[in-house]
Amino acid sequence: MAAGYFFDTAGGEWKPHPRFAGAFVLPLIAAAHNPGLTVSLVRLMPGAALPVHVHQNSIETFYVLRGIGVCRVGESECKIKPGWLGYAPPVIEHSIRNTGDEPLEAISIFNPPL
């Protein structure tokens, strides 16, 4: 197997989200590894939210691993739980809020990278 195509994410470092309190990000695949997309784990603490925001040029796809919450994309709102998958197209307002009593974790993919 060629080195550089596989990543052990267990040793990664969670970082506070640069704009949203109560949110943390664990980068998994950076644009330097794959210029077509980035992949991160996102963790929202109970009661925390990623408030309404947009990405000008990227599609954000997310897959819920743990926890429960409410997600809004455009005018659509949905209760989410493990196993739910969704996406937000470029320039469409979207948000997510942890409504549970444990952290909400999701895989987040941006294509193209932010």
Side-chain angles (χ1 to χ4, degrees), residues 50-93:
L50 299 178
V52 174
H53 62 285
V54 299
H55 305 290
Q56 291 300 315
N57 301 306
S58 296
I59 298 168
E60 180 177 9
T61 303
F62 55 90
Y63 179 76
V64 180
L65 299 169
R66 174 179 147 188
I68 59 172
V70 174
C71 184
R72 183 172 78 82
V73 178
E75 298 300 318
S76 299
E77 186 171 278
C78 184
K79 292 181 181 179
I80 56 172
K81 61 183 180 178
W84 281 73
L85 175 73
Y87 74 98
V91 303
I92 300 295
E93 290 185 339

